[in-house]
């Protein structure tokens, strides 16, 4: 399992957010996030760098 950063927003809001999701692949990370928050829109799934920020 790897840690992925999911970049997402909620339709109608002008803000973007990021969340940490643990999964095997980026596709699984996207599916896991969408299962937890079905109303939110996933914009991207990225691997974090060594310092915790996304690539």
């Amino acid at each position: 399992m790897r840690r992925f950063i999911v970049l997402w927003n909620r339709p109608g809001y002008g803000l973007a957010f990021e969340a940490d999701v643990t999964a095997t692949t980026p596709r699984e990370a996207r599916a896991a996030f969408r299962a937890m928050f079905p109303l939110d829109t996933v914009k991207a799934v990225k691997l974090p760098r060594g310092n915790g920020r996304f690539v």
Side-chain angles (χ1 to χ4, degrees):
M1 299 289 257
R2 297 180 76 170
R3 185 175 142 239
F4 292 95
I5 296 177
V6 177
L7 303 174
W8 61 278
N9 71 354
R10 178 160 288 172
Y13 291 81
L15 302 173
F17 305 97
E18 64 179 62
D20 291 339
V21 177
T22 303
T24 307
T25 65
R27 185 173 293 202
E28 286 181 9
R30 179 185 295 265
F33 184 86
R34 291 185 76 195
M36 292 185 288
F37 305 102
L39 297 178
D40 297 334
T41 304
V42 175
K43 295 296 183 182
V45 178
K46 301 184 180 239
L47 285 170
R49 287 195 229 157
N51 60 5
R53 297 181 157 224
F54 57 87
V55 178

